[in-house]
Amino acid sequence: MSKIRSTDSAPEMLVRRLAFGLGYRYRLHVAKLPGKPDLVFPAKQKAIFVHGCFWHQHQHCQEGRPPSSNTGYWGPKLQRNVERDEKSRAQLRRMGWKSLVIWECKTKSRTRLAAKLKKFLG
Ligand SMILES: [Zn+2]
């Protein structure tokens, strides 16, 4: 089985560059944390997931709509991703971590993304 998620997607690189430019330092893909968050800020106990709208089924988003063909294949596969995401974030919460999901479609405005990062990371 190939991995569903590519580790260095373009939206993720963008978030990394922006966070770095704002002066935040992070670790990447910390495997010991639930869901292996994309950016991890250990001292703050905060984690960021950068999610592709399709793979993670972004609600109310054009890109997040499940495909209309071959639903028997995609439906359960995408549903599993969504359930896994929810489980990971709940586990992080229980461990005292805060997590933020940045959706791919929300990485288009750097200004808004920067504001979001600052709000979350303080
Ligand atoms: Zn989206």
Side-chain angles (χ1 to χ4, degrees):
M1 274 295 282
S2 63
K3 271 178 67 179
I4 284 172
R5 191 186 65 163
S6 68
T7 44
D8 296 317
S9 67
E12 190 187 322
M13 292 304 290
L14 203 145
V15 174
R16 279 196 222 167
R17 270 198 303 273
L18 197 55
F20 192 86
L22 290 168
Y24 299 112
R25 297 297 176 260
Y26 45 82
R27 289 196 218 152
L28 297 174
H29 311 294
V30 176
K32 63 174 187 185
L33 287 176
K36 203 175 167 193
D38 298 308
L39 282 78
V40 174
F41 306 83
K44 298 175 188 285
Q45 293 215 320
K46 287 177 182 175
I48 291 177
F49 294 94
V50 184
H51 279 175
C53 297
F54 175 72
W55 289 112
H56 298 270
Q57 291 292 284
H58 190 194
Q59 298 277 306
H60 314 297
C61 170
Q62 288 279 25
E63 307 298 322
R65 280 201 304 228
S68 50
S69 64
N70 210 356
T71 47
Y73 173 75
W74 288 112
K77 205 178 174 71
L78 295 173
Q79 189 53 38
R80 271 198 301 277
N81 285 349
V82 173
E83 282 164 13
R84 199 182 301 133
D85 293 340
E86 284 169 4
K87 211 172 141 197
S88 303
R89 296 192 72 199
Q91 279 176 326
L92 280 168
R93 250 194 316 277
R94 279 197 296 274
M95 291 163 65
W97 282 66
K98 287 197 166 68
S99 67
L100 173 75
V101 171
I102 293 177
W103 292 99
E104 183 180 2
C105 65
K106 306 281 184 196
T107 57
K108 287 176 182 137
S109 160
R110 290 176 69 92
T111 326
R112 254 182 267 169
L113 186 56
K116 203 178 180 125
L117 287 173
K118 280 190 228 169
K119 193 176 169 215
F120 176 65
L121 296 168

